[in-house]
């Protein structure tokens, strides 16, 4: 399982570096779910999240005006699908994506804008642990009055594509492996094999 922590009243550190290429907050996390109904009940009934949207592949939940803070992927799991950090604006996201690329972390998907729930801008890379990581900005702001959730059928009837701009469509094989936990499995297997070989010698 994945350990989760609930916290509040977290102060900002005093040595903030003003750089629009740095994330200003943690945006959202998407989990693969083995026991989907139980995890949804945990999010909504225990933690108090609200459903924002359902699709055929992912359901989205919020705890603020951001369209989603947690999403559940109907994918074999359990595990982490991806995590996302919010940049202050589009210029910041583009600068951050370029900064990642220049430091050896190429863009694995994007830059683009989701045409489905959230409509946020995205840029994906894979971190050193093999975790799919997203830079995002401009997520829809919603509340109960202005944005009642849509069903999977509603979204099915809307013309959607991976990127509403018509770019950022192709995901790399590395990103797909990261989002299904394959890279972490391989890293763990390599560590286990190295330790076993060391102990055997």
């Amino acid at each position: 399982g994945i350990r989760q922590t609930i916290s509040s009243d977290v102060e900002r550190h005093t040595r903030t570096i003003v750089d629009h290429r740095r994330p200003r907050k943690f945006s959202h996390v998407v989990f693969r779910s083995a026991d989907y109904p139980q995890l949804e009940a945990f999010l909504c009934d225990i933690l108090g999240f609200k459903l924002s949207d359902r699709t055929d592949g992912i359901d989205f939940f919020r705890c603020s005006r951001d369209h989603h803070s947690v999403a559940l992927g109907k994918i074999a799991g359990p595990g982490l699908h991806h995590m996302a950090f919010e940049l202050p604006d589009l210029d910041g996201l583009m600068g951050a994506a370029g900064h990642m690329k220049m430091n050896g972390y190429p863009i694995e998907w994007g830059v683009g804008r989701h045409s489905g729930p959230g409509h946020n801008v995205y840029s994906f890379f894979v971190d050193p642990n093999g975790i799919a990581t997203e830079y995002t900005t401009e997520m829809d702001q919603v509340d109960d009055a202005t944005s009642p959730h849509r069903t999977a059928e509603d979204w099915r009837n809307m013309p959607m594509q991976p990127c509403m701009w018509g770019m950022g469509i192709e995901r790399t094989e590395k990103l797909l492996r990261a989002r299904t936990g394959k890279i972490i499995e391989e890293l763990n297997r390599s560590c286990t094999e190295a330790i076993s070989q060391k102990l055997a010698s």
Side-chain angles (χ1 to χ4, degrees):
I2 297 174
R3 181 177 295 166
Q4 300 177 42
T5 303
I6 299 171
S7 62
S8 66
D9 302 324
V10 178
E11 292 186 25
R12 291 183 179 272
H13 61 80
T14 55
R15 299 196 319 269
T16 302
I17 299 170
V18 179
D19 183 348
H20 71 289
R21 299 174 308 166
R22 293 179 184 263
R24 65 180 178 184
K25 72 175 187 178
F26 187 83
S27 172
H28 61 272
V29 61
V30 179
F31 294 111
R32 303 187 314 271
S33 177
D35 188 348
Y36 196 88
Q38 186 176 2
L39 187 52
E40 179 176 337
F42 174 75
L43 283 175
C44 295
D45 300 339
I46 306 297
L47 296 183
F49 279 75
K50 293 187 175 182
L51 176 68
S52 292
D53 277 301
R54 288 194 192 282
T55 70
D56 287 320
I58 300 178
D59 290 350
F60 300 83
F61 302 86
R62 69 183 187 276
C63 61
S64 66
R65 287 187 58 88
D66 288 346
H67 178 272
H68 57 278
S69 299
V70 176
L72 304 180
K74 301 164 188 173
I75 308 164
L80 178 62
H81 184 271
H82 75 267
M83 59 183 178
F85 298 94
E86 182 183 285
L87 280 297
D89 52 32
L90 181 57
D91 188 56
L93 183 140
M94 295 299 287
H99 182 71
M100 280 290 169
K101 187 174 181 181
M102 287 186 291
N103 284 278
Y105 298 95
I107 296 170
E108 306 289 346
W109 184 28
V111 173
R113 184 185 286 279
H114 292 304
S115 62
H119 298 105
N120 43 309
V121 179
Y122 61 86
S123 176
F124 281 84
F125 56 94
V126 176
D127 80 2
N129 282 325
I131 295 172
T133 305
E134 177 185 7
Y135 274 165
T136 189
T137 193
E138 299 182 6
M139 182 180 287
D140 285 348
Q141 298 296 292
V142 302
D143 60 32
D144 293 342
T146 60
S147 185
H149 77 266
R150 293 185 177 100
T151 66
E153 185 177 358
D154 294 332
W155 284 110
R156 225 176 286 133
N157 294 328
M158 293 180 190
M160 288 200 310
Q161 53 186 346
C163 172
M164 66 188 302
W165 294 334
M167 27 185 305
I169 294 171
E170 296 300 322
R171 302 163 181 89
T172 66
E173 180 65 27
K174 183 176 183 180
L175 179 66
L176 296 175
R177 287 172 51 241
R179 292 187 349 178
T180 55
K182 298 286 190 256
I183 293 179
I184 291 176
E185 286 175 15
E186 290 164 11
L187 289 171
N188 287 339
R189 195 177 310 120
S190 297
C191 289
T192 303
E193 288 170 1
I195 291 168
S196 297
Q197 289 171 1
K198 186 73 173 173
L199 292 173
S201 60

